[in-house]
Amino acid sequence: MTSGKDSGGRRGARTAAFVVAGAATCAALAWTAVALTDSTATDAKSAPTCTYTPTGSATKSVGVPTFDTVTARRPVMYSLVTSAGTITIQALTTQAPCTTNSFSFLAGKKYFDGSKCHRLTTQGIFVLECGDPAGEGTSDPGYSYPDENLSGAAYPTGTVAVSKAQPGRNGGQFFLTYGDPTLRMPPQWTPFGNVIDGLDVLRKIAEKGTANGSTDGRPKEPVVIKSFTVQVLPA
């Protein structure tokens, strides 16, 4: 998944890389030409530890997570409270332990609080993208980590997966699907959760469209993350 549409020079290559607009054929070509994917990434699902590599490029620096093979695999739920309503997510801690550990860490540091979701797509793929404190779709949290859980990965309604600010650099950006894609989405974005409540919230956001009336842009009504919290469930 590419990052959101940006203004000025930041928009350049990323906007050209992927614009879901026009005929389905053009959209499909745009999708397969996404610059911000890494088809050679390693599947880390079975890795006993996770590697978080500092990037030195955080918009909002909160440190780097550690990984404990026992606690990081405990089942958790995420509560994403937005200005449009609350979305509840079941985290895929077993399938994507490195990713869910990172998002739990960032949530605990209030990394997402006050940030705006920067992208909405309404044709071909149906996603809301969030997770950049600057609201531009260009930043990472100051570290990156490999893909995981990509074997057979698909992105049907309710999927929550990692977006990438740059190829091979997973960080804090993510997308939520509010409809089944009508284009093929290759398994290049780590799925790390499923929406179990709040799809109506996502669909209401989508119904209002984008700010510029296109099929790929900022939500017409700004969507602000008020809080992103984690609840550890019984094993």
Side-chain angles (χ1 to χ4, degrees):
M1 180 65 61
T2 57
S3 306
K5 285 192 173 182
D6 312 312
S7 59
R10 287 190 296 266
R11 183 178 299 166
R14 296 186 319 100
T15 301
F18 174 33
V19 178
V20 179
T25 300
C26 294
L29 290 173
W31 180 261
T32 57
V34 171
L36 304 186
T37 60
D38 180 12
S39 59
T40 61
T42 301
D43 187 335
K45 184 171 70 172
S46 300
T49 60
C50 298
T51 301
Y52 301 104
T53 304
T55 62
S57 58
T59 297
K60 180 179 179 180
S61 182
V62 293
V64 177
T66 57
F67 183 81
D68 181 278
T69 56
V70 176
T71 60
R73 293 177 184 269
R74 293 180 300 183
V76 300
M77 299 267 280
Y78 298 135
S79 179
L80 182 63
V81 180
T82 77
S83 55
T86 299
I87 301 163
T88 305
I89 300 165
Q90 174 71 62
L92 302 177
T93 52
T94 300
Q95 298 94 318
C98 300
T99 303
T100 54
N101 181 65
S102 174
F103 274 86
S104 294
F105 168 79
L106 293 173
K109 296 291 187 178
K110 302 187 183 301
Y111 176 80
F112 303 105
D113 294 10
S115 64
K116 291 182 179 180
C117 295
H118 55 268
R119 186 184 188 195
L120 176 71
T121 62
T122 60
Q123 181 177 304
I125 61 171
F126 306 96
V127 306
L128 177 70
E129 282 195 70
C130 313
D132 177 0
E136 298 293 338
T138 58
S139 74
D140 62 45
Y143 63 87
S144 66
Y145 50 95
D147 294 323
E148 58 185 341
N149 195 31
L150 294 185
S151 179
Y155 309 92
T157 302
T159 300
V160 185
V162 185
S163 303
K164 304 176 188 180
Q166 293 184 28
R169 281 175 57 163
N170 290 324
Q173 293 185 46
F174 60 97
F175 65 89
L176 309 97
T177 62
Y178 63 88
D180 292 341
T182 57
L183 300 177
R184 178 182 176 273
M185 294 177 68
Q188 295 177 329
W189 300 273
T190 296
F192 70 96
N194 292 311
V195 175
I196 60 173
D197 190 36
L199 276 174
D200 58 326
V201 173
L202 291 171
R203 287 169 176 156
K204 287 178 181 177
I205 293 170
E207 285 173 2
K208 296 175 181 177
T210 64
N212 63 6
S214 72
T215 59
D216 185 356
R218 296 182 183 278
K220 183 174 183 179
E221 183 173 306
V223 180
V224 180
I225 296 177
K226 295 183 175 180
S227 66
F228 190 134
T229 56
V230 182
Q231 177 186 2
V232 179
L233 304 175

